[in-house]
Amino acid sequence: MSLRIALLGLLSASGPASGYDLTKKFETSLAHVWQAGHSQIYPELAKMAADGLITVEAEGARGRKIYTITPDGRDALHRWLVGHSPSAVPRSEIALQAFLAPLLEPEEALAVLERMKATFEERLRELERLGDPRSKKGYGKYALDLGIRQARMAVGWATDSIADLKASGGAV
Amino acid sequence: MSLRIALLGLLSASGPASGYDLTKKFETSLAHVWQAGHSQIYPELAKMAADGLITVEAEGARGRKIYTITPDGRDALHRWLVGHSPSAVPRSEIALQAFLAPLLEPEEALAVLERMKATFEERLRELERLGDPRSKKGYGKYALDLGIRQARMAVGWATDSIADLKASGGAV
DNA sequence: GTCCGCATGTAAGAAGTTACATGATTCT
DNA sequence: AGAATCATGTAACTTCTTACATGCGGAC
């Protein structure tokens, strides 16, 4: 369902696009929000067209198909945004590793936390490169802000957890 | 893979347990970290036993099977904790909704953000009920702290986004 | 004795990943 | 002519969700 919504959202916000275009947008503007490769996107677009949510507006070179959102599609998107209360499906490899890290020897646990911290810092830098959400406009702004805060929070958590682990001398 | 790791982690940390016990632990101690129902857990346990990572240590009443982690299982768990760098698979319905919310009319977007804020506050209360991670011991402590910080961050984000939306009068 | 919680499973389908496969166009 | 990029698809497999199905044991 969410993939479908993401595609409808992109078509609604940026206008007609091909599967290829949409795949690129997943790699760029949607990268920190939702993930999907072309092998998932192409079949989904076909199903959405069959369901009347989008239509092939034009066919370009190399068999390129340009999809447009239909009124039905806009409806479905609107209904989801207004009516769907998203659940934070708790399935995070990072949290799982954090959960289990205390099973390790203290030095090993420390190394794991340090590695995580480095990952978070890298992620934070990447998101900050995308621009300052306060000065940005349009759709994507709130999500970028959320991503940056998330990364910052994670760096802080890792820093404090490392300090805690060192202070306790591993006596968790 | 991660489900397997989570199961190995529980067996390693809390000792022998049945599929039923493990399912309960997913509902309680692991609830904010990883999600899985019994219909996923039972077949996975069978596969893990076939792979030699766990064994049936005893059979109790009602066909209850008590699994224990084997040295091979401990090995696999250790290797994952030390060697696997978890990727933050970006797939969050919440971020997606935040991303697309500016497509809505301002009042509608506001309602969506308010609803999210309420959800985060509820989640924060739930996690705080589980105890103060600073005073807690053992495995699970760091993950709980992470969860609480996450929820707090999200409440702050929603609050600020609502204020921003109100200030801009919807002129995103 | 019947209801509730314990306890285990299967099946069908949706969603996501990785790899395979193919052909057109543009650039050098 | 060859390489890179555009552009679309399929297939096999893993993971996850929802629903169906069954039976034991203890409490009242």
Side-chain angles (χ1 to χ4, degrees), chain A residues 10-73:
Chain A
L10 287 176
L11 287 173
S12 168
S14 321
S18 68
Y20 189 82
D21 297 335
L22 293 164
T23 303
K24 292 287 151 193
K25 278 183 188 146
F26 267 85
E27 284 165 17
T28 55
S29 67
L30 223 57
H32 60 289
V33 171
W34 202 266
Q35 224 185 15
H38 81 275
S39 68
Q40 212 189 339
I41 290 171
Y42 285 121
E44 185 64 25
L45 287 171
K47 274 187 237 162
M48 288 163 75
D51 291 347
L53 303 177
I54 59 177
T55 45
V56 178
E57 182 212 51
E59 300 210 18
R62 279 168 281 191
R64 182 184 164 91
K65 288 180 204 159
I66 314 289
Y67 291 98
T68 317
I69 189 168
T70 64
D72 270 13

Side-chain angles (χ1 to χ4, degrees), chain B:
Chain B
M1 194 73 254
S2 295
L3 172 59
R4 189 167 276 221
I5 295 299
L7 291 167
L8 287 174
L10 287 176
L11 287 173
S12 168
S14 321
S18 69
Y20 189 83
D21 297 335
L22 293 165
T23 303
K24 292 289 151 189
K25 277 184 187 146
F26 267 84
E27 285 165 16
T28 55
S29 68
L30 223 57
H32 59 291
V33 170
W34 203 267
Q35 223 184 16
H38 80 274
S39 68
Q40 212 188 339
I41 291 171
Y42 286 122
E44 186 63 27
L45 287 171
K47 275 187 234 160
M48 288 163 75
D51 291 347
L53 302 177
I54 58 177
T55 44
V56 178
E57 185 214 48
E59 300 209 18
R62 278 168 282 191
R64 181 185 166 92
K65 288 180 203 160
I66 314 289
Y67 291 98
T68 316
I69 189 167
T70 64
D72 271 14
R74 277 182 202 282
D75 243 50
L77 174 59
H78 185 261
R79 267 200 313 280
W80 186 87
L81 282 175
V82 170
H84 179 77
S85 188
S87 59
V89 180
R91 203 166 275 141
S92 153
E93 279 204 345
I94 289 165
L96 180 59
Q97 203 162 72
F99 188 90
L100 299 175
L103 292 176
L104 292 171
E105 297 301 315
E107 327 84 58
E108 287 180 320
L110 206 57
V112 167
L113 289 174
E114 301 269 20
R115 189 184 56 203
M116 279 188 184
K117 186 180 170 185
T119 307
F120 295 141
E121 281 169 340
E122 169 62 21
R123 184 173 166 77
L124 180 57
R125 274 195 300 276
E126 267 171 39
L127 289 176
E128 281 175 337
R129 252 202 308 278
L130 294 178
D132 184 347
R134 279 166 307 179
S135 68
K136 267 196 106 178
K137 302 189 261 178
Y139 79 115
K141 164 186 174 178
Y142 295 128
L144 179 57
D145 184 29
L146 180 61
I148 288 175
R149 284 173 191 238
Q150 191 138 214
R152 257 202 270 278
M153 175 280 296
V155 171
W157 166 82
T159 306
D160 293 352
S161 297
I162 288 166
D164 176 87
L165 190 59
K166 278 182 177 161
S168 69
V172 190

Side-chain angles (χ1 to χ4, degrees), chain A residues 36-130:
Chain A
H38 81 275
S39 68
Q40 212 189 339
I41 290 171
Y42 285 121
E44 185 64 25
L45 287 171
K47 274 187 237 162
M48 288 163 75
D51 291 347
L53 303 177
I54 59 177
T55 45
V56 178
E57 182 212 51
E59 300 210 18
R62 279 168 281 191
R64 182 184 164 91
K65 288 180 204 159
I66 314 289
Y67 291 98
T68 317
I69 189 168
T70 64
D72 270 13
R74 277 182 202 283
D75 243 50
L77 175 59
H78 185 261
R79 265 201 314 279
W80 186 86
L81 282 175
V82 170
H84 179 77
S85 188
S87 59
V89 180
R91 203 166 273 143
S92 155
E93 279 204 345
I94 289 165
L96 180 59
Q97 205 163 72
F99 188 89
L100 298 175
L103 292 176
L104 293 171
E105 297 300 314
E107 326 85 56
E108 287 180 320
L110 206 57
V112 167
L113 289 174
E114 301 269 20
R115 188 182 59 202
M116 279 187 183
K117 185 180 172 186
T119 307
F120 294 142
E121 281 168 342
E122 170 62 21
R123 185 172 166 76
L124 180 56
R125 276 194 299 277
E126 268 171 39
L127 289 177
E128 281 174 337
R129 253 200 308 278
L130 293 179

Side-chain angles (χ1 to χ4, degrees), chain A residues 106-162:
Chain A
E107 326 85 56
E108 287 180 320
L110 206 57
V112 167
L113 289 174
E114 301 269 20
R115 188 182 59 202
M116 279 187 183
K117 185 180 172 186
T119 307
F120 294 142
E121 281 168 342
E122 170 62 21
R123 185 172 166 76
L124 180 56
R125 276 194 299 277
E126 268 171 39
L127 289 177
E128 281 174 337
R129 253 200 308 278
L130 293 179
D132 184 347
R134 277 164 309 179
S135 68
K136 270 197 105 180
K137 304 188 260 180
Y139 80 113
K141 165 186 173 179
Y142 295 128
L144 178 58
D145 184 29
L146 179 61
I148 288 175
R149 285 174 192 236
Q150 189 138 214
R152 257 201 269 279
M153 174 279 295
V155 171
W157 166 81
T159 306
D160 293 351
S161 297
I162 288 166

